[in-house]
């Protein structure tokens, strides 16, 4: 008996010490839990304050929501997608199409705009005179010191872009997205792709401003502080940092992670991209060589951003481009080279020396791409196919989609317009449009057999009008 008493006396101090240690550990974790609870309450108040003030919804989106939003798998996902979706002008002041009023591609453009809920303005474009055409051709010749000037078709394309820029400046808006009328885009452009791009740009601009000033910068809208950028190039053939227009192979466009690290860039996830196999044959090795995994895009500094299929810009940038063109300085044939020089300035390809005057960003892979069967257009007037287009032509023909677009709104699968009058919507047309908006665009489902799936009989497409005097709803001709 005495043995057990002495054993307990010897063991008690150690037990007490261990009990005290456990209590101290519990107290420490309790303090951390209180701090976390306080932080969560502050975060909820901040989110409520943002919501009440009408600021953009994605400002403090959690990473988990970035990958889950808009999958159409549950009711909560659908609500999130509606909350984060861009507005009808993709959160720009306007979406502007470069096209003459009698362009045969306008009906398809307006049909796709209605399908995806995008409001596109089509400014009135005058009939270009020989004097106007020679104006652009003279600029090209002057830059190249006597070289042969631009073709009339290319000159008209450049004048069309200048006309759109002037309309934008005269409108008084601060931002605009300018499209050529043969571009295609994904059915989820408004619901997923634009919000994710805007979030990536905002985050990067805020990070840069914080590093420079030492305090957190507050953006001023969906596209961040518009005084911190001039042009977003989101519709092009691919900026690979080399001249891929004349000749290019996967080896030519392959770089290294150091190549990307040497420039400003932001990589973000986007699961609306096609499968890795269906990415453009030159874009795929370009991204892989820099360590960018599939289902990701990179917003980067431009190196050779040719093609002017789609670009967003600020009012300041439009004024500068118009002034440059007016003074016959730093311009070239065609317009996309003029745009590229505005962004990158001097380059070894054309031996033209000047400094860039726009702060530009280019997106790889791009959001907009021109349609091959529509590219012999009133915009360019060209019948040739660049090397980079030729590299992706077989793939595009097999997929029946433009490069790097998973489910094109203008792929030909989602026709809903029956009559030739674009400004008149019949009951049957309205029902078809609402069905496509709900089942295809709303749920992100690429239902190319939608007419069979919903027991809708096929119809024979009628000849489209060659002149459109008044395009209501999502398309407007401006006089």
């Amino acid at each position: 008996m005495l043995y057990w008493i002495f054993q307990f006396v010897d063991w008690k101090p150690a037990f007490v010490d261990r009990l005290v240690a456990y209590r101290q550990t519990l107290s420490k974790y309790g303090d951390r839990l209180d701090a976390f609870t306080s932080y969560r309450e502050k975060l909820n108040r901040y989110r409520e304050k943002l919501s009440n003030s009408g600021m953009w919804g994605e400002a403090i989106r959690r990473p988990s929501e970035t990958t889950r939003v808009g999958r159409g798998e549950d009711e909560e996902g659908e609500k999130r997608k509606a909350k984060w979706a861009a507005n009808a002008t993709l959160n720009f002041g306007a979406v502007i199409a470069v096209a003459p009023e009698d362009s045969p591609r306008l009906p398809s453009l307006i049909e796709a705009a209605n399908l995806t809920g995008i409001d596109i303005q089509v400014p009135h474009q005058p009939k270009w005179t020989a004097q106007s055409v020679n104006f652009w051709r003279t600029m090209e010749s002057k830059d190249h010191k006597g070289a042969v000037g631009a073709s009339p078709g290319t000159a008209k394309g450049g004048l069309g872009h200048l006309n759109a820029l002037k309309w934008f400046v005269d409108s008084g808006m601060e931002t605009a997205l300018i499209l050529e009328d043969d571009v295609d885009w994904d059915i989820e452009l408004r619901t997923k792709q634009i919000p994710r791009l805007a979030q990536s740009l905002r985050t990067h601009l805020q990070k840069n401003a914080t590093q420079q000033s030492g305090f957190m910068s507050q953006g001023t809208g969906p596209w961040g502080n518009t005084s911190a950028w001039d042009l977003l190039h989101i519709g092009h053939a691919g900026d690979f940092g080399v001249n891929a227009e004349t000749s290019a192979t996967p080896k030519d466009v392959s770089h290294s992670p150091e190549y990307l690290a040497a420039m400003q860039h932001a990589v973000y996830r986007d699961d609306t991209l096609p499968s890795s196999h269906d990415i453009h044959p030159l874009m795929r090795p370009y991204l892989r060589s820099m360590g960018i995994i599939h289902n990701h895009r990179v917003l980067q500094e431009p190196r050779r951003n040719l093609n002017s299929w789609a670009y967003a810009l600020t009012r300041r940038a439009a004024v500068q481009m118009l002034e440059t063109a007016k003074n016959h300085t730093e311009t070239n044939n065609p317009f996309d080279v003029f745009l590229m020089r505005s962004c990158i300035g001097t380059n070894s390809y054309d031996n033209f020396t000047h400094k860039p005057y726009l702060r530009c960003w280019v997106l790889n892979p791009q959001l907009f791409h021109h349609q091959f069967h529509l590219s012999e257009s009133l915009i360019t007037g060209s019948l040739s196919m660049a090397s980079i287009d030729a590299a992706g032509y077989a793939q595009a023909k097999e997929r029946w989609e433009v490069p790097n677009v998973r489910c094109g709104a203008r792929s030909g699968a989602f026709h809903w317009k029956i009559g030739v009058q674009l400004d008149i919507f019949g009951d049957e047309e309205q029902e078809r449009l609402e069905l496509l908006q709900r089942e295809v665009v709303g749920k992100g489902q690429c239902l190319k057999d939608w007419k069979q799936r919903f027991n809708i009989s096929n119809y024979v497409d009628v000849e489209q009008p060659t002149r459109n005097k008044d395009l209501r709803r999502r398309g407007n001709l401006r006089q």
Side-chain angles (χ1 to χ4, degrees):
M1 186 65 174
L2 291 175
Y3 171 80
W4 291 109
I5 293 175
F6 284 118
Q7 288 293 325
F8 177 76
V9 171
D10 293 338
W11 171 75
K12 184 176 180 181
F15 173 77
V16 172
D17 293 341
R18 187 172 298 179
L19 181 61
V20 171
Y22 281 143
R23 291 183 63 182
Q24 291 175 347
T25 302
L26 289 174
S27 177
K28 184 187 300 183
Y29 280 114
D31 293 340
R32 292 181 181 179
L33 181 61
D34 292 340
F36 175 77
T37 303
S38 176
Y39 172 78
R40 185 172 60 181
E41 292 174 352
K42 291 180 180 179
L43 181 61
N44 289 335
R45 289 197 298 270
Y46 179 58
R47 296 184 68 177
E48 183 179 0
K49 183 178 179 181
L50 281 177
S51 177
N52 294 336
S53 63
M55 296 177 68
W56 60 93
E58 285 186 293
I60 52 174
R61 177 193 281 184
R62 296 190 300 272
S64 60
E65 291 179 343
T66 302
T67 58
R68 292 176 57 197
V69 60
R71 290 189 175 180
E73 298 175 354
D74 51 40
E75 183 178 354
E76 182 181 358
E78 290 299 314
K79 290 181 179 179
R80 279 198 302 272
K81 183 172 68 173
K83 181 178 180 180
W84 305 128
N87 62 19
T89 57
L90 304 180
N91 293 337
F92 297 106
V95 180
I96 305 170
V98 180
E101 296 179 13
D102 57 354
S103 169
R105 297 170 302 183
L106 269 180
S108 172
L109 178 72
I110 300 305
E111 184 181 38
N114 277 278
L115 171 68
T116 51
I118 301 174
D119 189 357
I120 297 181
Q121 307 292 341
V122 186
H124 169 70
Q125 193 174 116
K127 297 293 183 180
W128 304 118
T129 64
Q131 182 180 4
S132 299
V133 172
N134 288 333
F135 168 81
W136 189 267
R137 301 182 74 187
T138 301
M139 290 195 295
E140 193 277 338
S141 298
K142 193 171 183 177
D143 285 347
H144 284 78
K145 300 179 180 179
V148 177
S151 68
T154 303
K156 291 178 180 179
L159 293 171
H161 278 276
L162 295 183
N163 180 72
L165 291 175
K166 186 178 184 302
W167 185 91
F168 165 43
V169 172
D170 292 342
S171 71
M173 299 174 185
E174 290 301 321
T175 59
L177 173 63
I178 297 181
L179 312 174
E180 294 186 355
D181 66 352
D182 62 346
V183 297
D184 196 4
W185 59 88
D186 194 271
I187 58 172
E188 296 185 283
L189 176 72
R190 177 180 173 182
T191 55
K192 289 185 180 180
Q193 293 180 343
I194 287 295
R196 290 171 180 174
L197 170 61
Q199 183 187 26
S200 178
L201 178 65
R202 284 198 312 270
T203 302
H204 188 77
L205 293 178
Q206 289 177 356
K207 179 181 177 181
N208 285 350
T210 302
Q211 292 175 346
Q212 295 174 8
S213 63
F215 59 88
M216 177 62 73
S217 172
Q218 295 295 328
T220 58
W223 295 101
N225 185 357
T226 54
S227 64
W229 61 272
D230 294 319
L231 189 142
L232 303 176
H233 204 170
I234 57 178
H236 50 84
D239 187 344
F240 306 114
V242 297
N243 178 19
E245 293 297 300
T246 56
S247 63
T249 65
K251 183 178 179 180
D252 295 330
V253 301
S254 297
H255 298 283
S256 66
E258 289 75 20
Y259 172 83
L260 183 63
M263 68 176 82
Q264 289 197 56
H265 69 279
V267 179
Y268 67 95
R269 177 175 173 79
D270 188 349
D271 58 6
T272 65
L273 280 164
S275 67
S276 179
H277 177 267
D278 291 333
I279 296 293
H280 189 280
L282 294 181
M283 182 64 72
R284 188 166 57 246
Y286 173 76
L287 297 173
R288 186 185 298 122
S289 68
M290 297 186 299
I292 300 175
I293 62 177
H294 181 54
N295 277 344
H296 284 74
R297 301 183 194 266
V298 56
L299 187 63
Q300 65 176 67
E301 292 179 348
R303 289 295 182 264
R304 185 169 177 79
N305 55 319
L306 275 174
N307 300 111
S308 51
W309 301 330
Y311 55 96
L313 74 169
T314 64
R315 179 182 178 84
R316 169 186 172 276
V319 170
Q320 283 188 290
M321 294 178 74
L322 288 172
E323 190 65 24
T324 301
K326 180 181 178 181
N327 294 333
H328 279 213
T329 58
E330 302 178 4
T331 53
N332 190 28
N333 166 47
F335 179 83
D336 63 335
V337 180
F338 171 43
L339 186 151
M340 179 186 69
R341 287 176 170 173
S342 304
C343 293
I344 68 174
T346 302
N347 62 84
S348 59
Y349 168 66
D350 54 27
N351 297 317
F352 188 77
T353 304
H354 72 83
K355 295 181 179 180
Y357 58 90
L358 296 182
R359 297 162 299 174
C360 303
W361 293 91
V362 61
L363 184 65
N364 279 321
Q366 65 277 65
L367 296 181
F368 295 86
H369 198 289
H370 77 155
Q371 297 176 283
F372 291 107
H373 65 288
L374 294 180
S375 61
E376 300 173 5
S377 64
L378 298 174
I379 291 292
T380 64
S382 173
L383 299 178
S384 62
M385 181 178 290
S387 175
I388 190 172
D389 272 351
Y393 180 73
Q395 180 194 68
K397 187 176 180 181
E398 178 183 357
R399 296 178 58 231
W400 203 247
E401 294 283 2
V402 299
N404 303 328
V405 172
R406 180 184 68 90
C407 189
R410 299 177 73 178
S411 63
F414 306 119
H415 286 308
W416 54 270
K417 196 77 178 72
I418 302 175
V420 298
Q421 296 296 325
L422 293 180
D423 57 339
I424 299 177
F425 284 44
D427 292 340
E428 184 179 358
E429 292 173 329
Q430 188 66 36
E431 290 177 2
R432 294 186 180 193
L433 175 59
E434 291 175 356
L435 175 63
L436 286 170
Q437 289 175 334
R438 181 177 66 255
E439 299 295 333
V440 174
V441 179
K443 297 181 180 179
Q445 301 183 98
C446 196
L447 303 179
K448 293 188 175 182
D449 60 344
W450 65 279
K451 284 182 286 189
Q452 287 76 20
R453 182 169 299 193
F454 295 103
N455 296 321
I456 296 178
S457 60
N458 292 318
Y459 58 90
V460 178
D461 291 333
V462 296
E463 183 179 356
Q464 298 289 357
T466 58
R467 187 169 185 82
N468 311 286
K469 296 182 179 180
D470 181 25
L471 304 181
R472 300 194 183 100
R473 295 180 182 256
R474 295 294 177 192
N476 298 284
L477 288 177
R478 296 297 186 185
Q479 301 297 326

